[in-house]
Amino acid sequence: MKVVYARLWVRIKGSNQEPEWVAAELVIPLLTLSAYIYLYKMLNAPPEFTGFVVIGGTMIAFWVNVLWNMSAQFYWEKETGTLETYLVAPISRMAILLGMALGGIVNTTLRAVVILVAGTFIFQAPLVINEPLTALLMFFLTITALYALGMLFASLFMLYGREAWHTANLLQEPVYFLSGSYFPTNLLPFFIQLLASLIPLTFGLDSVRRVIVQGEGIADIWLNLVALVIFILVLFPLAKFALNYMENLGKKEGRLTLRWQ
Amino acid sequence: MFVCSWSELQYCIETKDLVRIFKSKDQTVKALDNVSVSIEEGEIFGLLGPNGAGKTTFIKILTTLLLPTSGEAYVGGYNVAKESNKVRKIISLVSGGENPGYGILSASENLWFFSQLYGLSSAAAKEEIKRLMVDLDFDEYAKTRMSRLSTGYKQRLNLARGLLNDPKILFLDEPTLGLDVLTSKKMRSYIVDWAKKEKKGTVLLTTHYMAEADEMCDRVAIIDRGRTLACDSPLTLKENLKENVIMRVEVSSVQADFSFMEKMAGVIGFSQTRSIQTDTTTLKVMVHDEPIFSKILAKLEEQKLKILAINKAEPTLEDVYISLVGRGFEGEGAE
């Protein structure tokens, strides 16, 4: 637990040390939100679309955090030399990942709340929350599944060289699109929807939106709940397995602490 | 004091025929070739060799960062490949030229973070951090961001990090790399005191600085292209050269070719240090008998080189290396 707390502390301290970073992380998503909201307004879309975009923009902050601050983290640690220090210490590697994930969740939740509140007030997003506990539960499950995916990526990226950066880039935009951050996915062809269902964010975003924007309850979104629980149950052990596997492979091939590949 | 659990062998570190091969698409490199070393408890043991000799590979295997291709390695009596978690509890690794943590955190915050990886209570960690910072003379930078520290202070921080967990075996990989003379001296003396006066643990040091190995180590293993060529105390290694003659010659050129000495009978080996600033080369030549040296001088004069200085030198560890491989550390590939 000490390791989890220490790594969480580093993440929170590190991410909030520079006011410019915090400002950029808040302003840029709001600008993106406004672009989509005005687009929908120009198309005379119903007012729920504003709420749809605000929730999408809020939740996508977590995906960005998972990709850049979680998945690529071991790669960065390797490049800066701190990974070696972790690997020589008698600690569980999962504890480091968990600390990184929790720190990321705390940081991003603070930013996401600001985006949600600002977005709702500025754009007058109509929110209908009948079951606040369901909203919280779905939010929690979505974030857990998403960070479990981040932990899996972090393990896989550990042996990556520069391609880690490109892979993160490659994953960013398609997930924006497939998870339905700013567009309704039910309009997409079936096979693309099938592909989108492999991303936990798709189920999470859909359920959070339905509970917060459309006022639906747990009886309506139980399928999403089951899907997210399955994601969590599969992704955590998979991340642990991948971490062990990649560490052993790295030790065998000599790539564990090899930098600037 | 720490007692090795591998009691029947009495060694803190022992390797048996350690081999490490790196394979890539276009080449296979044997970084370690049957390296067998035994290091006793409380010893400061040096691995001396040029870049690419296999020193870092060796230390990475012992610190559980790399698996050997074949052979066995034991640290504190534990097999590094099969009992890596037990090994990690008793060791620490400090690598020269590395960032000792997160640039955005202060020196003391970084140390606190690393103390948590070893399970220290926050109060104990803070006390220990304060002590180490005072001892290593960088307490005034406790609140300075790591990214703003000079190389010397970063390395002090790195050493403090390595000592935080009170390791029984301390691995130092080129600990004074890139440091100024004073900082290097201070760090060397601190490490020697830690191991010898305070009797805190065993040290395995890799270096390519001859003086560092000579000054600090009880025993030195000279390693080249993955093979150990000699292993003894610096004094004994140097004593073995007493029968040879070592001359230092300074000539007025940085471009001259001295390869004629490679084929000359009676020449054991030589090294050359070229200085572009002064446009001179300092040769260190080891020969069996003094008369051979006059032949070398004649050859140098044939090349129209101006001889600026000649003097007889006492054997150093570099000369030990020259006597073993016929050349100095210069011109080696990167490790």
Side-chain angles (χ1 to χ4, degrees):
Chain A
M1 280 315 286
K2 277 186 179 171
V3 178
V4 176
Y5 172 72
R7 192 61 190 83
L8 179 154
W9 178 82
V10 168
R11 168 127 303 177
I12 293 173
K13 177 97 183 173
S15 300
N16 296 298
Q17 198 96 313
E18 303 282 358
E20 298 91 337
W21 294 0
V22 181
E25 283 168 9
L26 292 173
V27 172
I28 293 169
L30 281 172
L31 289 175
T32 313
L33 280 190
S34 59
Y36 282 102
I37 288 169
Y38 287 120
L39 179 75
Y40 281 126
K41 281 190 176 171
M42 275 170 59
L43 296 170
N44 291 322
E48 299 92 84
F49 272 71
T50 303
F52 181 96
V53 170
V54 168
I55 300 297
T58 305
M59 297 298 282
I60 211 71
F62 289 96
W63 173 243
V64 173
N65 185 258
V66 161
L67 256 192
W68 294 106
N69 291 358
M70 185 77 210
S71 306
Q73 190 62 34
F74 271 162
Y75 160 74
W76 289 120
E77 305 270 12
K78 182 166 74 167
E79 298 302 307
T80 53
T82 39
L83 183 65
E84 190 174 284
T85 320
Y86 289 150
L87 297 174
V88 171
I91 48 165
S92 148
R93 280 75 170 115
M94 280 301 275
I96 289 286
L97 280 183
L98 198 59
M100 272 159 45
L102 291 175
I105 290 172
V106 172
N107 277 336
T108 315
T109 303
L110 293 173
R111 287 153 175 73
V113 167
V114 175
I115 295 167
L116 178 68
V117 172
T120 308
F121 277 99
I122 296 169
F123 304 108
Q124 298 291 303
L127 304 183
V128 188
I129 310 170
N130 292 324
E131 292 184 17
L133 282 179
T134 306
L136 277 176
L137 175 71
M138 295 316 290
F139 170 77
F140 171 77
L141 290 176
T142 306
I143 299 308
T144 310
L146 209 50
Y147 278 85
L149 183 69
M151 287 164 88
L152 174 65
F153 282 161
S155 311
L156 297 174
F157 278 23
M158 187 159 66
L159 294 192
Y160 269 43
R162 266 173 280 211
E163 61 267 39
W165 178 267
H166 299 299
T167 311
N169 250 330
L170 188 74
L171 288 169
Q172 185 167 308
E173 293 295 334
V175 171
Y176 279 3
F177 175 67
L178 291 173
S179 62
S181 309
Y182 301 112
F183 309 97
T185 46
N186 54 9
L187 299 174
L188 297 171
F190 173 72
F191 75 94
I192 293 185
Q193 283 191 49
L194 200 67
L195 194 67
S197 67
L198 297 173
I199 308 163
L201 189 62
T202 312
F203 289 98
L205 199 51
D206 179 59
S207 59
V208 172
R209 265 190 194 129
R210 284 163 64 184
V211 176
I212 293 181
V213 180
Q214 293 169 348
E216 290 183 13
I218 197 144
D220 309 299
I221 50 109
W222 68 270
L223 213 61
N224 295 44
L225 188 144
V226 171
L228 287 172
V229 169
I230 292 171
F231 269 120
I232 292 166
L233 292 176
V234 171
L235 288 172
F236 268 114
L238 205 57
K240 193 172 190 300
F241 171 79
L243 191 56
N244 283 338
Y245 179 79
M246 295 310 262
E247 186 180 340
N248 285 330
L249 185 70
K251 281 163 78 171
K252 219 177 274 179
E253 292 182 351
R255 289 197 291 142
L256 199 54
T257 52
L258 191 65
R259 280 179 261 174
W260 316 116
Q261 298 170 68
Chain B
M1 198 170 186
F2 172 68
V3 178
C4 296
S5 65
W6 204 21
S7 52
E8 69 267 30
L9 289 163
Q10 298 293 314
Y11 294 119
C12 261
I13 300 170
E14 173 146 3
T15 66
K16 291 177 187 173
D17 303 321
L18 208 60
V19 173
R20 175 67 216 198
I21 295 168
F22 291 103
K23 284 181 184 166
S24 64
K25 277 178 196 164
D26 40 4
Q27 61 173 344
T28 299
V29 177
K30 203 171 198 178
L32 290 179
D33 189 358
N34 288 299
V35 175
S36 297
V37 167
S38 303
I39 300 168
E40 288 175 12
E41 186 187 338
E43 224 184 333
I44 300 183
F45 187 92
L47 266 185
L48 182 65
N51 292 333
K55 306 184 299 289
T56 300
T57 301
F58 187 71
I59 225 167
K60 279 190 174 175
I61 290 176
L62 295 178
T63 53
T64 76
L65 292 170
L66 193 63
L67 287 172
T69 306
S70 68
E72 288 178 346
Y74 297 87
V75 170
Y78 303 117
N79 185 309
V80 293
K82 293 172 188 157
E83 300 170 288
S84 45
N85 270 333
K86 288 178 180 169
V87 171
R88 289 177 194 134
K89 282 181 185 162
I90 56 166
I91 64 162
S92 200
L93 167 65
V94 175
S95 302
E98 287 290 355
N99 272 328
Y102 296 98
I104 204 155
L105 300 182
S106 72
S108 58
E109 286 170 342
N110 267 300
L111 288 175
W112 174 83
F113 170 67
F114 289 112
S115 75
Q116 299 309 291
L117 302 188
Y118 291 89
L120 270 74
S121 74
S122 251
K126 280 174 186 163
E127 204 173 298
E128 186 63 3
I129 289 164
K130 204 172 169 187
R131 186 188 69 77
L132 282 166
M133 283 184 148
V134 171
D135 285 358
L136 286 164
D137 201 15
F138 72 109
D139 49 321
E140 60 188 296
Y141 296 102
K143 293 192 188 316
T144 306
R145 269 192 197 185
M146 195 275 282
S147 57
R148 290 179 190 153
L149 292 177
S150 67
T151 309
Y153 284 107
K154 273 185 187 164
Q155 194 54 8
R156 287 174 206 224
L157 174 61
N158 208 354
L159 181 61
R161 180 194 56 70
L163 296 173
L164 257 178
N165 63 320
D166 198 16
K168 306 304 173 198
I169 302 165
L170 178 63
F171 291 92
L172 301 170
D173 190 11
E174 307 272 5
T176 58
L177 190 73
L179 300 185
D180 62 75
V181 179
L182 274 177
T183 311
S184 301
K185 204 172 162 61
K186 194 171 176 63
M187 284 191 59
R188 282 176 200 154
S189 121
Y190 190 85
I191 293 159
V192 172
D193 284 352
W194 180 85
K196 296 293 170 189
K197 271 193 194 164
E198 297 173 42
K199 296 192 184 304
K200 290 275 188 111
T202 308
V203 177
L204 173 60
L205 163 89
T206 74
T207 183
H208 65 273
Y209 298 135
M210 314 286 175
E212 185 162 279
D214 208 345
E215 184 188 321
M216 295 176 71
C217 300
D218 297 311
R219 284 193 305 144
V220 169
I222 293 180
I223 183 167
D224 184 63
R225 292 174 187 172
R227 290 164 57 192
T228 38
L229 305 175
C231 180
D232 217 320
S233 71
L235 191 67
T236 313
L237 288 170
K238 288 186 285 183
E239 290 262 316
N240 293 341
L241 297 182
K242 285 278 182 189
E243 288 173 8
N244 302 320
V245 180
I246 301 159
M247 300 294 276
R248 189 181 285 120
V249 187
E250 195 180 340
V251 295
S252 62
S253 171
V254 284
Q255 288 172 335
D257 180 18
F258 304 106
S259 57
F260 67 89
M261 281 191 277
E262 287 168 10
K263 291 165 195 160
M264 201 176 239
V267 175
I268 299 164
F270 70 99
S271 73
Q272 46 189 312
T273 313
R274 296 169 195 263
S275 166
I276 296 164
Q277 286 94 341
T278 56
D279 194 26
T280 58
T281 302
T282 303
L283 291 168
K284 211 171 181 196
V285 189
M286 193 186 300
V287 292
H288 284 306
D289 299 302
E290 213 153 336
I292 299 161
F293 193 69
S294 51
K295 287 183 190 169
I296 294 171
L297 289 181
K299 279 270 186 189
L300 292 174
E301 277 165 6
E302 262 176 40
Q303 289 190 38
K304 295 197 170 76
L305 293 170
K306 198 173 167 187
I307 294 166
L308 303 169
I310 305 175
N311 49 52
K312 208 167 174 178
E314 281 299 306
T316 64
L317 285 177
E318 184 187 19
D319 303 319
V320 177
Y321 181 80
I322 293 171
S323 74
L324 292 166
V325 297
R327 59 183 155 78
F329 275 13
E330 73 280 346
E332 293 295 331
E335 192 157 13

